[in-house]
Amino acid sequence: MGTPGPKQGRGARNGGDLVVETLEALGAKTVFGIPGQHALGLFDAMGRGNLHFVSSRMENNSAFAADGYSRATGQVGVLFLSTGPGALTSLAGLQEAYATGVPMVVVASQIPLEGLRARRKGMLHQLDDQKASAANVTKSQRLIQHASGIPSAIQDAWSEAISSPQGPVWLEIPQNVLLDPIMVPPVEDALAQAADNPPRIELVREAVKWLETAKRPAIIAGGGTRRGKAEKPLLSLAEKLRAPVISTPGGNGAFPWNHELSLQSWIEDRYMTGVLEDADVLVVIGSSLGEVSSNYFTFEPRGRIIQIDAEPRVLESNRPGLGIRADAGQALAALDEALEPARPATPDWHGSTPEELVKQSLAKVRARLESQDLAKELKFMADIREAVPADMQTFWDMTIAAYWGWSCWDARDGQFHSAQGAGGLGYAFPGAIGAAVGLETLGKPGRVLAVSGDGSSMYSIAELATAKQHNVPVTWLIVDDGGYGILREYMVGAFGKATATELARPDFVKLAESFGVPATRVAPEGVGDALKAGFAADGPNVVVVETLLKMFSPTHLDR
């Protein structure tokens, strides 16, 4: 049963109180997680504090929910974990937050101090080194061994989480440190500030020289553009340079979708790859030019590259260039300001203006799609887009609809969120739950949309109980094609047949209703009306569409 804590009088302050008080002083409002025996000191303390606790049904989904909370609100997500299996179960969710740069503070319990330092006492949940398990999926890991160290450690972790490159930070506190009575006075204030991450001035000057003489400048806006809140300087810089802008899946929404310089997000199409290859100066912001953003490593640029990223390991990891390690917002603002007095060269794309090039390129992509018998898919995605209010945030699993969304979704005034950072399944619904809770905490309309396939939905189906318990305003669209649809396509394309991709699945409508969550099943052509009805309802609801969606044909295989 583990090591019980000492008996205490009602209301006695313990190490858990210092955790709760410090988080509240830093501005935390909500915590996600699941109670556990070694973590009871945390939960006892929450009963004396003001934090709102959202209990998921699995720790991985708690991590996704804290991630969604952070993305939707711009605040730090907070996650409480129990020792051993609970902590380990969260790691896939933390990998997504780490890969995508989502700021989170993770507080995990630990076995009592006497069992640490590689002793094998056979304690419940004991690991040789628990924090080492999180080393691949968090920015840093700390073990707090004394209650007096809790406030400073949490404050430092918060600062690190919000400093670019942002990401989750791991703290762990032994059971007895959380439970034992303390002499430390209540935490009255805490201050966490992001470390400054500006660009080096000589690199800005060199980049400006390149841009001033560029005839065919172009821009790739990656996820770091959004995380760095660089949308305004990106727009200003693009308009000064008259540079076409394309967004990666993570950067979707960083640049106005229908702007005359917007190549939107069709980054997996060779027509767009060709435009980027032809640029004489390509500005890459917050992207590693990785697998998807390089059209599966078929991208062969002929011009020079300026790469801006807060994570130094990303710079020149796939292509040589002028690497600028900096926060995207600060770097783009510096470039934009430096270009202010200058008069960039008039762009010339082999006789076409940039605006003409963008229009022609989008038309070519559209014609390619229309030649592939994809009318159902194009209408399905258009119907969803028409039904979703312009300012609604959407969360997408790794499913065929999401792969379409990476390329065709106009985020408008909302935000597009997907699990493309790490590519794990089950993100959409718990992420949307966290987002809805966070938006309501800020006094904003909380309704959000989650989109999953039948395979990915089973990873987080238990969170229907969470959504019902907290009456969370999430509409969950499940596109049921009877299997892992995208893997089925990949295998048929590569081997002529699919193996182990077909799935037995429940009646999702009846299953949702068994949780007390309203659900409806509609044909693909009814998805828009069903979503509108779900958006107008109270609390959680589910829309199920049984259909097989196809992906547009890949264009990188012909290279």
Side-chain angles (χ1 to χ4, degrees):
M1 294 296 294
T3 304
K7 293 183 179 180
Q8 308 183 102
R10 183 176 178 84
R13 292 180 68 249
N14 57 28
D17 286 278
L18 291 174
V19 175
V20 171
E21 291 164 3
T22 307
L23 289 171
E24 289 183 357
L26 288 165
K29 307 293 185 187
T30 302
V31 173
F32 300 87
I34 296 177
Q37 179 160 324
H38 293 133
L40 292 182
L42 290 173
F43 293 86
D44 170 56
M46 276 201 295
R48 293 185 288 276
N50 298 304
L51 293 175
H52 173 47
F53 182 67
V54 178
S55 179
S56 301
R57 299 306 184 266
M58 191 174 111
E59 287 85 359
N60 190 48
N61 293 330
S62 296
F64 282 148
D67 173 305
Y69 178 97
S70 180
R71 294 196 203 195
T73 64
Q75 309 295 314
V76 173
V78 181
L79 177 64
F80 282 179
L81 297 172
S82 59
T83 316
L88 296 179
T89 304
S90 73
L91 297 184
L94 292 176
Q95 184 187 4
E96 175 59 35
Y98 183 56
T100 309
V102 178
M104 290 169 55
V105 170
V106 184
V107 181
S109 62
Q110 247 296 11
I111 59 174
L113 279 167
E114 62 181 287
L116 298 179
R117 301 176 186 86
R119 299 178 186 176
R120 295 301 297 174
K121 285 180 170 287
M123 289 181 171
L124 186 71
H125 305 329
Q126 185 173 12
L127 292 166
D128 289 345
D129 186 354
Q130 178 176 276
K131 69 181 187 302
S133 303
N136 275 328
V137 295
T138 55
K139 289 184 68 175
S140 67
Q141 310 81 38
R142 298 174 175 86
L143 171 65
I144 304 172
Q145 301 188 53
H146 305 283
S148 59
I150 289 175
S152 294
I154 292 177
Q155 180 174 281
D156 291 347
W158 194 287
S159 295
E160 185 175 2
I162 62 177
S163 297
S164 62
Q166 297 179 344
V169 177
W170 181 279
L171 302 170
E172 54 187 49
I173 310 175
Q175 179 188 31
N176 54 318
V177 177
L178 289 171
L179 284 173
D180 287 349
I182 58 173
M183 295 184 294
V184 183
V187 178
E188 295 183 6
D189 60 72
L191 177 63
Q193 292 182 317
D196 199 27
N197 195 358
R200 297 183 63 85
I201 187 62
E202 69 273 14
L203 296 177
V204 172
R205 289 198 191 105
E206 185 66 17
V208 168
K209 289 179 183 177
W210 292 13
L211 293 172
E212 285 176 343
T213 58
K215 287 290 188 179
R216 296 184 305 280
I219 299 173
I220 296 177
T225 315
R226 291 172 61 190
R227 291 189 295 278
K229 297 179 174 57
E231 292 88 348
K232 287 185 178 179
L234 170 62
L235 177 61
S236 177
L237 186 69
E239 289 181 339
K240 284 179 182 177
L241 296 170
R242 291 176 65 197
V245 179
I246 194 165
S247 298
T248 71
N252 189 312
F255 194 75
W257 189 261
N258 291 315
H259 192 283
E260 61 183 355
L261 292 170
S262 176
L263 293 169
Q264 301 175 359
S265 291
W266 295 99
I267 202 155
E268 292 184 50
D269 192 284
R270 281 300 311 177
Y271 288 128
M272 298 304 185
T273 311
V275 170
L276 300 175
E277 288 175 335
D278 192 35
D280 59 353
V281 177
L282 180 65
V283 183
V284 182
I285 310 152
S287 169
S288 65
L289 289 180
E291 188 169 9
V292 174
S293 53
S294 66
N295 202 355
Y296 302 92
F297 299 117
T298 62
F299 175 50
E300 295 289 346
R302 296 185 291 276
R304 295 186 290 184
I305 294 175
I306 300 169
Q307 187 178 15
I308 299 167
D309 208 285
E311 171 55 77
R313 292 177 297 174
V314 165
L315 297 174
E316 300 188 81
S317 60
N318 282 308
R319 286 287 166 188
L322 181 66
I324 302 177
R325 192 223 68 175
D327 172 78
Q330 290 182 273
L332 284 183
L335 287 176
D336 185 45
E337 182 179 356
L339 275 170
E340 192 73 50
R343 304 186 69 84
T346 301
D348 179 6
W349 290 80
H350 309 293
S352 294
T353 67
E355 296 79 8
E356 291 169 343
L357 175 76
V358 166
K359 187 178 295 185
Q360 294 163 4
S361 299
L362 290 173
K364 289 177 182 178
V365 172
R366 186 74 186 189
R368 193 201 299 274
L369 294 172
E370 291 175 348
S371 71
Q372 294 177 27
D373 188 26
L374 296 169
K376 180 176 76 170
E377 287 76 10
L378 289 167
K379 184 177 188 305
F380 186 74
M381 296 302 297
D383 287 348
I384 296 173
R385 178 61 275 183
E386 192 276 329
V388 174
D391 61 349
M392 182 175 286
Q393 300 200 32
T394 59
F395 288 76
W396 304 71
D397 255 320
M398 299 292 287
T399 188
I400 287 180
Y403 287 22
W404 272 96
W406 287 2
S407 295
C408 76
W409 187 260
D410 175 5
R412 298 184 183 172
D413 299 322
Q415 294 187 53
F416 175 90
H417 309 284
S418 78
Q420 50 77 217
L425 295 183
Y427 172 75
F429 188 47
I433 288 174
V437 169
L439 291 170
E440 289 192 323
T441 300
L442 296 180
K444 299 180 179 180
R447 177 67 60 182
V448 297
L449 171 67
V451 182
S452 301
D454 56 295
S456 58
S457 68
M458 293 301 292
Y459 278 68
S460 48
I461 200 74
E463 302 312 323
L464 284 167
T466 302
K468 177 63 177 178
Q469 178 177 339
H470 297 280
N471 198 39
V472 182
V474 175
T475 296
W476 192 9
L477 172 61
I478 299 175
V479 183
D480 182 357
D481 66 5
Y484 295 122
I486 193 65
L487 299 179
R488 180 193 292 133
E489 277 211 13
Y490 288 165
M491 291 192 76
V492 170
F495 310 117
K497 65 176 183 178
T499 303
T501 59
E502 306 314 296
L503 298 172
R505 71 274 196 201
D507 183 324
F508 286 106
V509 171
K510 290 182 179 179
L511 181 57
E513 290 174 344
S514 74
F515 284 93
V517 175
T520 184
R521 180 181 291 104
V522 297
E525 54 269 21
V527 67
D529 289 339
L531 289 177
K532 289 176 183 177
F535 297 152
D538 180 58
N541 51 74
V542 175
V543 175
V544 179
V545 178
E546 293 183 358
T547 190
L548 177 63
L549 299 178
K550 297 185 297 183
M551 275 300 295
F552 48 83
S553 297
T555 60
H556 65 279
L557 299 178
D558 298 329
R559 299 291 287 180

